[in-house]
Amino acid sequence: MLKYGYTVFDEDMNMKELNLTATDSRSVILIEEGLLHRLPELVRNLFPLSKVLIVTDENVEKLYGKSVYESLARSGIPCVKKVLPFGERTKSFEYLNIILDCLGENGFTRSDAVMALGGGVIGDLSGFAAALWQRGMKLIQAPTTLLAQIDSSIGGKTAIDTKWGKNTIGAFKQPDLVCIDPQVLTTLSKTDFSAGMAEMIKYACIRDKEMFRILKTHSDNIFPHLSELILQACKIKKEVVEEDCFDTGLRMILNFGHTVAHVLEGLNDFEGLPHGYAVALGMIDITKRSEALGCTLSGTADQIQKLCDAYGLPTEMPAVDKRAAVSFLLRDKKARSGQMNLVLLKEIGSCFIKKMDVGDAIQFLGWEEK
Ligand code: GLY
């Protein structure tokens, strides 16, 4: 029997369940092939009295939005749907306002729910709206990209982008429920799939040597292993978030490869380079450098490079404009305080945080001007 505090489901050997206990809230994470079809049942059981606002984008609408809306409505669940444009530009004040207006116009209260059906943009934006409306309503994450399934839908980070940068305004808002359906990944583009695999490789690098081995052994056909790998990635994220919900310490290990990645994304106007591609390049680059410094077991960067290559990720670091790279690096508020935390590997499956003066970090990353 699956129990998650609210209700008990029929015995279901395929459904995997994790409970993430944060400081003041709890998230139930469910993983099952075909789980999107069970959304009406889950919503009825967990939130019997709630209305649901489904937020999705134009691409996901065509694939799943229409059917999710219809299945909820057919089950007698009062629901409204908002379809937004696809892309990072939607993570803005403008679309946040559109969602908040929609909640107001339809009489939503804090005991109702927002369902984010889509990738990271929809999840971050809808999550932020749910955190704000009447100081916080219920939130269901139904992630439809691999990256959202193993990273952005879990752990409660919500945000919008502003003229001051990516994710500059946001809130911690743990979702009440995360519904992960690995079947939806079959409709992902090659680029989106590879980009998600970069985050999967990241989890293996920082915490799980065996996961790295599985990724390596089955790189020619990873699909049969995907549900297990998603579960493993979610377990790692859950453990880290439970220890450091508000991102003041351990949680920064989830940013392995991200210091360089954020700079590369910035240099590409946050749109030219998929996040996962930048993370792959960042993990390889920083590991090469920490190997050279003697902090990482020799040969580690080569292993990461080969694995990224096997999953269609870029592995050759582009030439960067050093001055521009440093200016993006310094946007990080910790960097502005004079010190930075870099996540480095001891070896595959084990990482540590290295504190460095910003000047040393710039030199370490190869961006000092001679
Ligand atoms: N994506 C990193 C985190 O949730 O902390």
Side-chain angles (χ1 to χ4, degrees):
M1 286 290 208
L2 284 167
K3 299 185 200 67
Y4 45 80
Y6 303 94
T7 186
V8 179
F9 275 88
D10 292 341
E11 191 155 339
D12 182 340
M13 299 310 288
N14 294 319
M15 193 192 273
K16 311 281 190 318
E17 178 192 340
L18 297 171
N19 285 275
L20 188 159
T21 309
T23 314
D24 56 356
S25 56
R26 197 164 58 121
S27 274
V28 175
I29 303 164
L30 300 176
I31 306 169
E32 187 185 43
E33 299 274 344
L35 193 61
L36 276 198
H37 300 297
R38 294 182 70 177
L39 280 173
E41 175 195 351
L42 293 170
V43 171
R44 247 198 336 259
N45 278 290
L46 293 179
F47 316 110
L49 302 175
S50 297
K51 281 199 291 208
V52 179
L53 172 65
I54 302 167
V55 183
T56 192
D57 68 41
E58 283 159 351
N59 292 355
V60 177
E61 164 64 4
K62 288 184 213 124
L63 293 164
Y64 310 109
K66 207 164 167 301
S67 59
V68 166
Y69 173 79
E70 282 168 4
S71 68
L72 258 60
R74 256 199 319 274
S75 306
I77 296 164
C79 54
V80 178
K81 183 175 58 175
K82 196 84 207 165
V83 183
L84 304 178
F86 172 79
E88 185 72 28
R89 280 172 200 274
T90 300
K91 243 175 88 171
S92 63
F93 269 122
E94 183 190 349
Y95 288 100
L96 176 66
N97 245 323
I98 287 175
I99 298 176
L100 296 174
D101 277 346
C102 182
L103 290 167
E105 280 155 14
N106 291 284
F108 275 73
T109 69
R110 63 159 60 156
S111 50
D112 294 322
V114 168
M115 179 188 290
L117 177 69
V121 167
I122 291 296
D124 283 7
L125 173 71
S126 316
F128 191 30
L132 292 174
W133 187 251
Q134 299 191 350
R135 299 195 190 88
M137 53 192 301
K138 297 184 191 311
L139 175 63
I140 302 165
Q141 290 279 4
T144 57
T145 63
L146 180 55
L147 198 135
Q149 291 189 345
I150 61 175
D151 185 20
S152 58
S153 70
I154 297 165
K157 281 190 180 173
T158 71
I160 55 169
D161 306 333
T162 69
K163 65 179 178 186
W164 304 106
K166 246 176 98 104
N167 297 330
T168 34
I169 299 186
F172 285 100
K173 164 76 183 160
Q174 294 298 337
D176 299 86
L177 175 66
V178 184
C179 294
I180 299 178
D181 180 354
Q183 236 167 50
V184 303
L185 303 179
T186 53
T187 54
L188 276 191
S189 69
K190 228 168 153 283
T191 303
D192 284 339
F193 187 74
S194 294
M197 286 311 290
E199 293 285 353
M200 190 75 90
I201 293 170
K202 174 199 80 178
Y203 286 113
C205 285
I206 58 171
R207 277 260 166 136
D208 197 331
K209 204 173 185 158
E210 173 60 10
M211 191 174 174
F212 197 92
R213 190 195 65 74
I214 294 169
L215 288 167
K216 205 158 91 178
T217 313
H218 301 286
S219 63
D220 52 340
N221 182 17
I222 200 65
F223 272 90
H225 306 273
L226 215 45
S227 286
E228 271 309 314
L229 287 165
I230 291 170
L231 175 67
Q232 194 50 28
C234 291
K235 267 189 193 157
I236 296 173
K237 179 133 193 193
K238 166 194 136 71
E239 283 166 15
V240 172
V241 171
E242 279 178 338
E243 265 197 51
D244 179 22
C245 184
F246 296 114
D247 200 12
T248 56
L250 179 75
R251 190 162 175 170
M252 71 184 78
I253 69 170
L254 299 175
N255 278 342
F256 171 56
H258 285 58
T259 303
V260 173
H262 289 150
V263 168
L264 294 177
E265 287 177 277
L267 294 173
N268 285 277
D269 292 329
F270 295 105
E271 281 193 310
L273 185 68
H275 175 66
Y277 283 28
V279 169
L281 292 167
M283 292 189 294
I284 298 164
D285 185 68
I286 206 152
T287 306
K288 278 185 181 162
R289 293 178 188 281
S290 66
E291 258 181 57
L293 220 61
C295 296
T296 303
L297 185 70
S298 143
T300 306
D302 188 51
Q303 288 197 61
I304 301 172
Q305 182 155 3
K306 289 199 173 101
L307 195 59
C308 288
D309 188 47
Y311 286 99
L313 290 159
T315 57
E316 290 306 323
M317 184 76 174
V320 299
D321 173 338
K322 291 180 180 176
R323 190 180 297 248
V326 169
S327 107
F328 275 110
L329 187 74
L330 295 178
R331 285 192 187 187
D332 184 318
K333 61 179 179 316
K334 290 198 193 80
R336 284 203 300 270
S337 77
Q339 287 220 305
M340 289 195 68
N341 292 305
L342 294 178
V343 185
L344 307 179
L345 299 188
K346 284 190 193 129
E347 58 181 330
I348 297 295
S350 169
C351 66
F352 65 101
I353 297 169
K354 189 164 176 68
K355 214 179 239 323
M356 276 191 201
D357 288 336
V358 171
D360 294 340
I362 290 170
Q363 197 178 18
F364 174 68
L365 294 167
W367 294 332
E368 84 285 10
E369 301 211 60
K370 303 231 165 73

